[in-house]
Amino acid sequence: MGATNSKKGNIDNAIVHAGTMRSLRDVPPAHYTLKLTSFSIFRDAKIGYYESGVFEAGGYKWKLCIYPNGNVKGHLSCYLAIADTETLSPGWEVNVSFKLFVFDQVRDKYLTIQDAEGGITQFHRLKTECGFDQFLPLGTFNDASNGYLVDDCCVFGAEVFVIKHTGKGESASMVKNLARNIYTWRIDSFSPTDQDKLISEEFVVGGHKWTLEIYPKGNSLSSKGESVSLFLRLADCKNLPLHRKMYAEFKLRMRDEVHGNHIERKVGQWFCESSAESWGYPAFMALSELNDASKGFMVNGVVIVEAEIMLISSFKDF
C-alpha cells in the first residue's frame, strides 16, 4: 500500500514535515466529502477500514479509504484509491496530484494534507491506493477541542487533479540578423502643409509585411503643427493567431542627405492582431528642423525615411 507519512506536529498552522504539507483553509474539498457518524462504532468494531462510494474526478473513478485505527499504531490513516480499474485499458497509468481533508468543526475550517513537494503520484495496476499512514495522531483526532471528532461525527474529503499530457505547446525564439532588414522610402514632393498622412508601400522583413506611416504635421495634440510623426505598422497583423503577439525591435530613421547626420530612434514593442496598432514617435523631429534646407533632411522637396528591423520574435505551435 503506497503511503506518504507525516509525524505528529502542530497542525493548526501550515507546516511541512516528513514529506507532507498541512494547512487550514475555508473552502471545502472540490470533488468529494465523506461524513461518518457514530464514528466510535466504526473504530470499536475493528472493521479495518471504511471505503467510500465512488466519485469521479479527471475522467476517472475514485474512493476514499479511512482506517479508524490506522495502519501505523496511534494514528488514523487515510488514502485515495482508484476504482473500476477493470474498465481501464491494459497497461494503464494515471498521474495525479491530490489532497486529502478532515473538517475542523470548531473552527469551521478544513485541514488539508498533501505531498510537501507538490509531487505527482502514479497509479497503476500494482499501485491502486496511495495516501497518508499517519494522517492524524489518534490523540489529536479524538480530542473534541481540536474539532475533528465532535459528537462522534467526522468529515473527510478529497481533491483529485489528473495530469493529462495534451501534446500541445510551442517553440519560441528571437530572430536577429534578418535578411534585407532595411527599407528605404523616398517621398517626392513632400509638403508638410498639404498632406496629413502618408503610407509607404508594403515591404517584407522576417516573413512579415510592414508599412511606414508619416504624419507631416504631426498626429497628436502635443505634436500637431510642431513635429513630424513617424510610425511602423505590421501590415499583415491579422495573420497572427488570435490573442498572440509578436515582438519587434526596430529603428526609425530620417536621412540627412547633405551632412549624413541622420536622426534615428529605436523602438521595442509587441504587435498584435489589432490592425489599428502602429508604433513609433508622435514627435519624431521638429518641423522647423525638417524645413531648414541647411539641415539636409528635405532636399528639393524630397524626404527619405527608413525602417531598420533588427529583431523579431518567432513561435511555432506543436
Side-chain angles (χ1 to χ4, degrees):
M1 199 179 282
T4 304
N5 300 328
S6 176
K7 297 180 180 178
K8 182 176 180 179
N10 177 14
I11 57 178
D12 290 327
N13 298 304
I15 61 170
V16 176
H17 190 67
T20 65
M21 182 171 72
R22 297 166 177 248
S23 60
L24 291 173
R25 81 179 203 190
D26 298 322
V27 181
H31 296 127
Y32 198 70
T33 300
L34 169 64
K35 182 177 181 179
L36 297 178
T37 59
S38 303
F39 184 80
S40 59
I41 298 177
F42 285 93
R43 181 187 59 216
D44 298 341
K46 302 187 184 302
I47 62 173
Y49 66 94
Y50 179 81
E51 190 175 83
S52 78
V54 171
F55 64 95
E56 186 171 328
Y60 295 89
K61 294 180 179 179
W62 309 89
K63 292 182 179 182
L64 264 176
C65 296
I66 309 297
Y67 289 71
N69 293 299
N71 281 318
V72 172
K73 185 177 180 180
H75 287 78
L76 180 142
S77 303
C78 187
Y79 303 92
L80 175 71
I82 191 166
D84 292 353
T85 57
E86 67 276 2
T87 65
L88 301 177
S89 60
W92 62 271
E93 291 180 347
V94 182
N95 296 307
V96 169
S97 173
F98 69 93
K99 300 176 182 178
L100 299 181
F101 300 78
V102 61
F103 185 46
D104 179 344
Q105 302 170 64
V106 172
R107 297 164 186 80
D108 193 26
K109 292 182 180 293
Y110 289 86
L111 173 66
T112 307
I113 303 180
Q114 65 188 107
D115 183 270
E117 303 297 329
I120 306 301
T121 299
Q122 187 177 81
F123 288 81
H124 48 74
R125 184 177 62 85
L126 299 178
K127 184 180 180 181
T128 60
E129 190 173 276
C130 189
F132 306 99
D133 290 338
Q134 299 178 29
F135 187 78
L136 272 178
L138 286 174
T140 300
F141 179 76
N142 292 327
D143 185 344
S145 67
N146 290 322
Y148 304 117
L149 183 63
V150 177
D151 296 330
D152 212 19
C153 174
C154 53
V155 179
F156 300 92
E159 283 182 353
V160 185
F161 299 96
V162 176
I163 312 301
K164 296 181 179 179
H165 178 59
T166 64
K168 294 181 179 179
E170 70 177 71
S171 173
S173 62
M174 290 289 185
V175 182
K176 57 183 181 179
N177 300 321
L178 299 162
R180 299 179 181 178
N181 67 323
I182 298 177
Y183 172 72
T184 301
W185 181 22
R186 177 188 171 98
I187 307 173
D188 296 318
S189 303
F190 186 87
S191 174
T193 58
D194 297 338
Q195 299 155 313
D196 290 325
K197 177 182 179 180
L198 297 171
I199 302 175
S200 76
E201 64 181 9
E202 292 183 353
F203 59 95
V204 177
V205 176
H208 292 276
K209 296 178 180 179
W210 310 83
T211 59
L212 279 169
E213 299 176 352
I214 191 168
Y215 294 78
K217 295 179 287 187
N219 77 326
S220 69
L221 291 176
S222 61
S223 63
K224 201 76 171 178
E226 300 291 335
S227 302
V228 176
S229 302
L230 184 59
F231 302 91
L232 178 70
R233 185 171 72 89
L234 181 62
D236 60 359
C237 58
K238 290 185 177 180
N239 293 335
L240 292 176
L242 188 64
H243 306 308
R244 296 302 300 268
K245 295 182 178 182
M246 184 187 74
Y247 182 77
E249 284 187 2
F250 56 93
K251 292 179 181 177
L252 299 176
R253 184 179 299 116
M254 186 77 75
R255 292 187 61 89
D256 170 3
E257 293 301 297
V258 175
H259 312 288
N261 296 324
H262 313 312
I263 292 179
E264 68 177 31
R265 302 185 189 279
K266 187 176 180 180
V267 183
Q269 193 55 256
W270 289 94
F271 291 83
C272 67
E273 74 274 8
S274 171
S275 60
E277 286 191 339
S278 56
W279 298 99
Y281 289 89
F284 183 81
M285 68 178 298
L287 268 174
S288 59
E289 191 172 14
L290 176 65
N291 290 325
D292 186 344
S294 67
K295 298 290 187 179
F297 297 108
M298 183 163 57
V299 179
N300 297 324
V302 176
V303 170
I304 298 178
V305 180
E306 287 184 340
E308 180 180 352
I309 302 175
M310 295 89 69
L311 179 149
I312 62 172
S313 63
S314 175
F315 58 86
K316 182 179 180 181
D317 292 327
F318 58 81

